[in-house]
Amino acid sequence: PQWLVFDQRFAHGYVLGGARAPGDAGRIIDYLIARGDVHPQKIGWLGSSSTGIPGLAVATREPRLAAIVAFVSTGAYRQWLETWHTNGLWRGETNELWPETEALLREHDPILHADTMFPVAVLMVSGGEDKVVDPATARSFVQAARPYYSSDPDRLRLVVYEGFGHNLPLDVVKMYAE
């Protein structure tokens, strides 16, 4: 798509979205709980790429989220944005992020809050050859969170399908989503 340009604008949108998503999710959770037909301890998030990435920010900042399944996503935003250069995606006019983006990253990069994520059950599924959301950044996020899951390590999982890129096979997505 023509709108998909890996540059400063696109990077800022992701970081700003990750900064705002926890508050937005909190309001949605308030609404769901108020309905009376939603079990408040069973609220989850299912997302892929553009919807999984902010979901991981929510997992670190919204304690009422019980579980997340995030396909081809990361919670290591700064590291991820750097891979846009190394993976040949960056098309920005300069090589730097905007100062406003840098300021948001200093406070809202989810990896900085990995210590607050437990007990959220986290399942991340990545393609080993993904150049859009490099799996190394997913690994970094999981490694940052791992010490906080020592009492229940099965609640934090990363599955990497080697040989696949950003578009995982339908049967893989279906299996983990279900």
Side-chain angles (χ1 to χ4, degrees):
Q2 292 183 2
W3 60 266
L4 190 61
V5 178
F6 292 83
D7 63 5
Q8 295 90 340
R9 297 167 298 168
F10 200 43
H12 187 76
Y14 270 108
V15 178
L16 184 60
R20 291 180 176 169
D24 292 344
R27 286 186 291 281
I28 292 166
I29 291 170
D30 290 342
Y31 166 75
L32 291 171
I33 292 170
R35 286 175 36 154
D37 63 341
V38 174
H39 193 298
Q41 282 81 41
K42 297 199 179 249
I43 295 175
W45 187 293
L46 174 67
S48 179
S49 189
S50 295
T51 55
I53 293 165
L56 290 167
V58 171
T60 66
R61 306 297 280 279
E62 174 48 70
R64 296 173 297 169
L65 188 69
I68 180 170
V69 178
F71 297 97
V72 294
S73 299
T74 186
Y77 288 9
R78 179 178 299 283
Q79 183 183 359
W80 172 50
L81 299 175
E82 289 169 2
T83 68
W84 292 5
H85 294 283
T86 57
N87 290 339
L89 299 173
W90 186 264
R91 300 289 180 259
E93 294 176 14
T94 69
N95 287 327
E96 284 77 39
L97 298 171
W98 290 340
E100 297 87 352
T101 309
E102 289 288 350
L104 286 170
L105 282 168
R106 284 190 292 277
E107 185 177 343
H108 296 286
D109 193 339
I111 198 168
L112 301 174
H113 306 285
D115 62 328
T116 65
M117 200 162 52
F118 184 82
V120 176
V122 178
L123 172 60
M124 297 171 64
V125 185
S126 297
E129 306 305 315
D130 190 346
K131 300 299 182 201
V132 176
V133 182
D134 195 307
T137 68
R139 285 186 185 100
S140 292
F141 181 67
V142 168
Q143 288 171 353
R146 178 70 56 208
Y148 307 100
Y149 281 78
S150 61
S151 65
D152 194 353
D154 290 339
R155 294 184 72 79
L156 177 63
R157 294 185 181 195
L158 171 63
V159 179
V160 178
Y161 279 85
E162 297 301 334
F164 289 96
H166 196 63
N167 296 309
L168 296 171
L170 179 59
D171 62 323
V172 169
V173 173
K174 185 176 181 199
M175 175 179 62
Y176 287 109
E178 289 176 351

